[in-house]
């Protein structure tokens, strides 16, 4: 029993290291993917991934960001004026929406939707020997299947982050109109005065890195299925667990580097 | 390298290990260019794993594989693609790509190996092959809509479209109806006559008896015998005899049918 627990504890960091090694392999294969695209292959996978991960997630991201923006402004407007710091609301909005919640919440949405979908799809392809069929045709599964999925997740995550920021900040403004009407000009000026270039760079750097992590972990877990269909859901669960763990660690690291 | 002159496929001490078992235990064979070799054995004896490892579709745990003299393993993407162009593979369960249409399943290997073909030329090649095998009229169907037999025929066409010099087939006739089997056999005979090296895993005695020059018998992951059909027929190993008995009976029937047919032709003449 103790031995089994110990083995599992030791296996987790090893798996994470393998997933990171796989990410390096994906980056190495990006030029080969674009070469293949020039020959006319693989473009469809990228488009479908952006459609599924980015476009199809727009509504859930819109609802989430509007609601969160509203909650922040309601809380802020009820607390900050009591402390004589009403103007801080803009700084808080930028800090919470742009710097932190935008990248991390869209990442969680993508992990839940696309991370599981990618690992399940690829795992099923392993079980059906479709991956072997790609190999037998001379198509490298990493170049043909993993790279476009990872790129699709990265592109989608950057776009979803922009979308989240837009709706989060617009949502805040709309709620402000209900609670404490403000001129649009004043609101935008307040935001403009609080935001810095560093906020945008950190936010988009996060989206790109999170996208790499989520895409790589999901494709790695999917392609790690060996033989049985029963492995597929297990790998999907691992894709979610590892995706969240690595994303949260990367988020803390980027925030530390950017703001301390 | 000199040893490999005229050899299509050469495996040396090939071992494949999975987590809990070892399906291939040190198999060494040389398959000559232009020969047709049947790989036989009981179910679960390691035949499919052997041919997959021998063609580099799955990695071997240890041992060496050479395809047309080139050592598999340290090849880069471009070299591997070049090798795949000359080495086709038909999977036991068809392994069609489910996320694309039947047409795309056939077009993708051609795009990969013959990028110089125009869309019209590629289309013509696909239509011609489909017409010869005659499996479906609607190539826009998804593989999930096909029966197992139809999927097998699509997989067969996918493998031969690139005109490989070495064609490896894992149970090519399973799930296929009688007429489909006849069409596959006829195509395989044409490929054999054209000098293609064929490696066929099959339990189908008709397929083996009508096509094979040589037989490889595998049992529990080990090579029991590799020789001409006559050599294998003369083996006194009871396991070998048990595995190939149906084939030998069928071959005898086939030979006597041919003899009686020739006799009838002679009488009429």
């Amino acid at each position: 029993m103790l031995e089994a627990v110990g083995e599992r504890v030791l296996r987790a960091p090893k798996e994470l290291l393998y997933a990171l090694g796989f990410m390096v392999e994906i980056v190495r294969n990006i030029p080969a993917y674009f070469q293949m695209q020039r020959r006319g292959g693989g473009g469809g996978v990228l488009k479908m991934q952006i459609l599924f991960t980015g476009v199809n997630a727009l509504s859930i991201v819109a609802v989430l960001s509007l609601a969160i923006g509203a909650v922040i402004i309601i809380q802020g407007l009820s607390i900050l004026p009591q402390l004589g710091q009403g103007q801080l609301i803009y700084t808080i909005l930028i800090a919470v929406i742009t710097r932190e919640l935008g990248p991390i919440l869209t990442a969680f949405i993508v992990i839940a939707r696309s991370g599981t979908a990618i690992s399940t799809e690829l795992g099923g392809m392993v079980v059906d020997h479709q991956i072997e069929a790609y190999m037998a045709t001379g198509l490298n599964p990493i170049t043909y299947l993993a790279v476009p999925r990872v790129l699709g997740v990265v592109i989608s995550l950057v776009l979803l982050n922009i979308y989240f920021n837009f709706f989060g900040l617009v949502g805040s403004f709309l709620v402000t109109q209900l609670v404490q009407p403000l001129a649009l000009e004043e609101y935008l000026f307040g935001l403009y005065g609080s935001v810095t270039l560093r906020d945008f760079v950190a936010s988009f750097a996060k989206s790109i890195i999170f996208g790499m992590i989520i895409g790589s972990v999901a494709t790695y877990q999917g392609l790690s299925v060996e033989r049985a269909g029963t492995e597929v859901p297990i790998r999907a669960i691992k894709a979610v667990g590892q995706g969240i763990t690595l994303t949260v660690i990367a988020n803390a690291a980027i925030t530390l580097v950017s703001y301390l | 390298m000199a040893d490999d002159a005229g050899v299509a496929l050469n495996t040396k001490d090939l071992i494949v290990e999975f987590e809990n078992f070892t399906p291939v235990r040190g198999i060494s064979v040389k398959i000559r260019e232009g020969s047709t070799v049947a790989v036989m054995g009981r179910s679960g004896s390691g035949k499919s794993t052997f041919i997959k490892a021998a063609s580099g579709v799955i990695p071997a745990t240890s041992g060496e594989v050479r395809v047309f003299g080139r050592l598999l393993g340290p090849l880069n993407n471009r070299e591997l693609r070049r090798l795949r162009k000359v080495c086709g593979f038909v999977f036991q369960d068809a392994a069609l790509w489910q996320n694309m249409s039947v047409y795309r399943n056939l077009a993708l290997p051609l795009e990969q190996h013959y990028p110089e073909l125009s869309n019209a030329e590629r289309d013509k090649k696909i239509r011609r092959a489909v017409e010869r095998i005659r499996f479906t009229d609607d190539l826009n169907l998804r593989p999930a809509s096909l029966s197992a037999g139809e999927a097998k025929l699509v997989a067969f066409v996918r493998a031969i479209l690139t005109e490989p010099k070495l064609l490896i087939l894992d149970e090519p006739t399973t799930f296929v109806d009688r007429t489909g089997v006849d069409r596959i056999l006829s195509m395989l005979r044409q490929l054999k006559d054209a000098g293609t090296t064929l490696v066929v895993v099959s339990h189908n005695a008709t397929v083996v008896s009508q096509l094979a020059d040589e037989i490889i018998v595998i049992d529990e992951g080990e090579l029991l015998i590799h020789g001409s059909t006559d050599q294998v027929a003369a083996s006194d190993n009871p396991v070998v005899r048990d595995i190939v008995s149906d084939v030998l009976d069928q071959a005898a029937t086939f030979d006597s049918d041919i003899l009686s047919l020739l006799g009838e032709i002679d009488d009429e003449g």
Side-chain angles (χ1 to χ4, degrees):
Chain A
M1 171 74 179
L2 208 60
E3 198 180 330
V5 172
E7 202 175 291
R8 283 192 67 176
V9 169
L10 288 174
R11 205 187 302 150
K14 211 160 124 189
E15 282 251 331
L16 279 175
L17 282 176
Y18 277 133
L20 287 172
F22 188 75
M23 194 192 298
V24 173
E25 191 58 25
I26 283 173
V27 173
R28 253 170 32 90
N29 272 276
I30 290 175
Y33 168 72
F34 285 110
Q35 276 171 14
M36 188 178 68
Q37 254 207 345
R38 273 199 292 277
R39 290 201 307 273
V45 181
L46 177 62
K47 280 182 209 150
M48 290 306 291
Q49 196 60 57
I50 293 172
L51 178 72
F52 178 76
T53 305
V55 179
N56 290 357
L58 287 177
S59 53
I60 185 172
V61 167
V63 170
L64 200 69
S65 55
L66 271 172
I68 286 174
V71 166
I72 293 168
I73 203 97
I74 290 168
Q75 294 287 0
L77 288 179
S78 68
I79 297 168
L80 292 174
Q82 293 172 24
L83 305 169
Q85 300 291 336
Q87 279 302 305
L88 268 181
I89 191 70
Y90 300 110
T91 311
I92 289 173
L93 273 174
I94 294 296
V96 176
I97 300 272
T98 306
R99 290 184 196 168
E100 297 300 331
L101 288 189
I104 198 94
L105 279 186
T106 49
F108 286 165
I109 290 169
V110 169
I111 290 171
R113 294 180 77 251
S114 306
T116 47
I118 289 170
S119 67
T120 306
E121 185 193 12
L122 293 180
M125 289 172 85
V126 174
V127 175
D128 288 346
H129 305 287
Q130 292 178 54
I131 303 293
E132 290 175 2
Y134 280 114
M135 309 255 299
T137 310
L139 286 159
N140 181 340
I142 293 181
T143 314
Y144 191 78
L145 298 173
V147 171
R149 280 171 172 77
V150 173
L151 289 179
V153 169
V154 170
I155 294 166
S156 300
L157 212 42
V158 170
L159 296 176
L160 287 176
N161 189 13
I162 294 171
Y163 198 74
F164 188 97
N165 270 275
F166 177 75
F167 270 87
L169 299 175
V170 168
S172 312
F173 177 72
L174 294 177
V175 173
T176 314
Q177 297 309 301
L178 298 173
V179 182
Q180 185 184 324
L182 262 182
L184 178 63
E185 211 172 286
E186 191 186 336
Y187 179 78
L188 291 177
F189 186 74
L191 283 180
Y192 182 72
S194 304
V195 75
T196 62
L197 180 65
R198 192 168 52 170
D199 294 326
F200 283 119
V201 173
S203 187
F204 293 122
K206 281 182 180 181
S207 283
I208 292 167
I209 291 168
F210 295 170
M212 282 300 297
I213 290 171
I214 296 164
S216 303
V217 166
T219 49
Y220 166 74
Q221 290 296 346
L223 293 173
S224 296
V225 169
E226 286 181 3
R227 301 167 75 81
T230 48
E231 293 173 57
V232 176
I234 295 170
R235 288 289 173 180
I237 292 167
K238 281 189 177 175
V240 172
Q242 285 185 354
I244 290 175
T245 309
L246 288 172
T247 301
V248 169
I249 292 170
N251 185 51
I254 298 168
T255 300
L256 271 174
V257 170
S258 306
Y259 297 103
L260 283 184
Chain B
M1 192 78 178
D3 281 356
D4 283 325
V7 176
L9 185 64
N10 186 355
T11 70
K12 201 169 157 192
D13 301 326
L14 193 67
I15 294 176
V16 181
E17 275 176 357
F18 293 136
E19 205 172 329
N20 303 320
F21 67 111
T22 308
V24 178
R25 301 162 188 232
I27 295 183
S28 302
V29 291
K30 274 187 184 179
I31 293 174
R32 288 176 298 107
E33 282 183 38
S35 61
T36 299
V37 181
V39 181
M40 303 191 71
R42 296 170 173 141
S43 296
S45 59
K47 309 179 294 291
S48 295
T49 311
F50 166 65
I51 58 163
K52 279 181 186 174
S55 55
V57 170
I58 61 168
T61 309
S62 67
E64 254 183 41
V65 177
R66 286 177 190 274
V67 180
F68 295 110
R70 303 208 63 171
L71 185 66
L72 282 193
L75 301 179
N76 62 31
N77 275 354
R78 188 181 296 175
E79 288 171 320
L80 202 58
R81 209 168 46 239
R82 213 174 290 152
L83 184 74
R84 290 286 165 232
K85 187 176 176 178
V86 295
C87 175
F89 199 105
V90 179
F91 288 83
Q92 188 173 11
D93 49 4
L96 298 179
W97 300 306
Q98 300 292 325
N99 59 342
M100 47 181 98
S101 66
V102 168
Y103 187 87
R104 284 296 303 153
N105 265 274
L106 300 176
L108 188 60
L110 281 176
E111 285 170 3
Q112 174 73 0
H113 298 304
Y114 297 95
E116 70 279 7
L117 285 182
S118 67
N119 286 348
E121 287 168 325
R122 196 163 46 237
D123 186 63
K124 197 174 158 192
K125 217 169 155 58
I126 292 170
R127 304 274 169 198
R128 205 188 309 143
V130 168
E131 217 166 85
R132 285 169 77 184
I133 292 289
R134 277 173 282 152
F135 52 84
T136 175
D137 293 328
D138 188 359
L139 297 181
N140 291 319
L141 287 174
R142 291 275 167 161
S145 330
L146 301 177
S147 71
E150 285 176 316
K152 209 58 184 280
L153 291 170
V154 176
F156 180 71
V157 173
R158 181 174 67 179
I160 62 169
L161 260 176
T162 52
E163 297 168 21
K165 289 200 289 177
L166 167 64
L167 181 60
I168 300 173
L169 306 104
D170 193 356
E171 300 280 3
T173 55
T174 319
F175 309 125
V176 181
D177 62 21
R178 183 65 192 263
T179 49
V181 171
D182 288 345
R183 278 182 232 137
I184 287 180
L185 270 173
S186 147
M187 291 284 282
L188 288 176
R189 268 189 226 108
Q190 285 175 37
L191 291 169
K192 183 181 159 101
D193 292 343
T196 309
T197 310
L198 301 173
V199 179
V200 190
V201 171
S202 186
H203 291 288
N204 186 323
T206 312
V207 172
V208 177
S209 62
Q210 292 191 25
L211 284 174
D213 311 318
E214 295 172 22
I215 295 177
I216 288 172
V217 180
I218 294 173
D219 194 46
E220 294 182 357
E222 289 176 2
L223 178 71
L224 288 189
I225 191 167
H226 175 199
S228 67
T229 44
D230 290 341
Q231 283 170 328
V232 174
S235 167
D236 51 9
N237 183 327
V239 180
V240 172
R241 294 202 67 78
D242 180 41
I243 290 167
V244 300
S245 59
D246 282 352
V247 175
L248 299 175
D249 292 347
Q250 190 91 17
T253 316
F254 184 66
D255 286 348
S256 65
D257 285 351
I258 295 270
L259 284 174
S260 59
L261 190 66
L262 288 174
E264 280 170 27
I265 292 169
D266 243 11
D267 291 345
E268 282 170 20

